[in-house]
Amino acid sequence: MKDAETEARPSGQSLSDVPQVEITLNVNGTLHRLRLDARVTLLDALRDHLGLTGAKKGCDQGACGACTVMVDGRRVVSCLALAAQYEGREITTVEALSVDGELHPMQAAFARHDAFQCGYCTPGQIMSAVCLIAEGRANSEDDIREFMSGNICRCGAYPNIRAAIREVTARG
């Protein structure tokens, strides 16, 4: 029986042939020194190497937004980003939004507006919404719809998601 790691490698390539990189990622204010396969995505580094499972692997093609994280204050679909590209950058995941047990205003608004059903897309939706407001792009219903269009909710909670964003925007 072959192990999954052996099966995933091209024929004749040993584990020692896979290029490794040593990087330090600044995630949620903590520096993490990692040695990774150079092809590891930021999403996989967060989930598999750092145990931060808030960002989800949805489509693994950058189309659904379930893996959205914040890098230097901007939205990034982490399934398309190589971890090595983000050394020295400030990475924020949904796990860092609440402080001392207090929900971030966007998290609280999502709960108040029932802006989730299954919850799978919720971390990515919240991270995208936080960035949307920080970018100053939540000026109208149409703006919110347009700039959140990269985040897919299979349950169809869009009206509630937009209501949560409008609430947080109105509160400043």
Side-chain angles (χ1 to χ4, degrees):
M1 180 187 325
K2 293 182 180 179
D3 64 36
E5 201 168 85
T6 303
E7 250 175 61
R9 285 194 307 268
S11 178
Q13 186 179 38
S14 72
L15 187 56
S16 62
D17 294 336
V18 176
Q20 299 284 304
V21 293
E22 288 188 19
I23 61 172
T24 302
L25 295 179
N26 178 358
V27 181
N28 300 332
T30 302
L31 296 177
H32 300 273
R33 186 140 177 86
L34 302 169
R35 182 173 174 80
L36 305 169
D37 176 323
R39 301 164 296 183
V40 168
T41 65
L42 181 56
L43 175 63
D44 289 339
L46 294 170
R47 292 182 60 80
D48 300 340
H49 297 275
L50 299 179
L52 298 169
T53 57
K56 304 293 188 243
K57 188 175 280 196
C59 67
D60 211 19
Q61 297 176 4
C64 74
C67 65
T68 303
V69 297
M70 187 184 319
V71 178
D72 297 335
R74 298 182 58 89
R75 295 178 262 191
V76 169
V77 286
S78 60
C79 73
L80 293 183
L82 294 176
Q85 294 174 289
Y86 290 88
E87 184 167 33
R89 315 261 310 263
E90 187 177 327
I91 302 162
T92 306
T93 68
V94 72
E95 288 90 348
L97 291 184
S98 63
V99 178
D100 296 327
E102 281 291 313
L103 293 178
H104 181 279
M106 188 61 71
Q107 291 170 310
F110 265 60
R112 274 192 302 280
H113 289 276
D114 195 24
F116 48 84
Q117 287 181 33
C118 79
Y120 195 82
C121 72
T122 304
Q125 295 276 1
I126 288 172
M127 292 305 294
S128 193
V130 167
C131 290
L132 171 76
I133 292 172
E135 294 163 1
R137 295 183 171 173
N139 300 316
S140 69
E141 183 76 16
D142 287 340
D143 286 346
I144 293 169
R145 185 179 292 109
E146 174 66 25
F147 290 109
M148 290 295 292
S149 65
N151 291 79
I152 296 172
C153 174
R154 287 172 177 86
C155 300
Y158 297 115
N160 302 12
I161 292 167
R162 288 192 304 271
I165 295 168
R166 283 193 313 272
E167 176 188 314
V168 175
T169 302
R171 290 183 179 200

